[in-house]
Amino acid sequence: MKKELLLLRHAKSSWDDPRLDDFDRPLAPRGRAAAPLIGRFLEERHWRPLMALVSSSARTRETWELVSSRFAHAPSPTFRDSLYEASAEQLLAELRHTPEIVGTLLVLGHSPGLEEFALRLAGEGSDTVALGQMRKKFPTAGLAHFEFTGRWEALQFGAARLTHFLRPKDLA
């Protein structure tokens, strides 16, 4: 069965309050503007996640709220502390627990782990332009779309095809 994986980095966060712990930083105005654009793009492309795994940090929660507000039918998110500062290996382990009924999964997390995971996941048949852009920089509110055939529990690095890589500036 064909699966789709959407990897989304949180939108631009604010550094205005130096007293806040990194985990508690909210979105900056630029992030609040970019996130709904990504949500609208996902809805227009019919890339509708059946499940959303979201880091429990403030900026990822806020990104999810703004992205999912553009969906006709948004799934209830699963917030996970384990996605905050997760490595590529930890992300792969998390995804392997996805129920097989889920055809499209969205993961909303952080760099550098999300970026490294995306680069290592991209395998044969990946779009070379998208891969080049992703290698150059995985910016805030950047979105990578992958497809693969198989089971979530068997997902391996290099086993998915990167079909698209989108940056907020591509939509402005």
Side-chain angles (χ1 to χ4, degrees), residues 50-67:
L50 186 59
M51 183 176 178
L53 298 178
V54 180
S55 165
S56 54
S57 75
R59 61 190 177 273
T60 48
R61 286 175 176 268
E62 192 175 352
T63 300
W64 170 252
E65 288 301 317
L66 292 167
V67 167

Side-chain angles (χ1 to χ4, degrees), residues 3 51 95 97-103 152:
K3 303 279 197 302
M51 183 176 178
L95 268 61
H97 295 289
T98 303
E100 284 307 314
I101 194 162
V102 175
W152 290 108

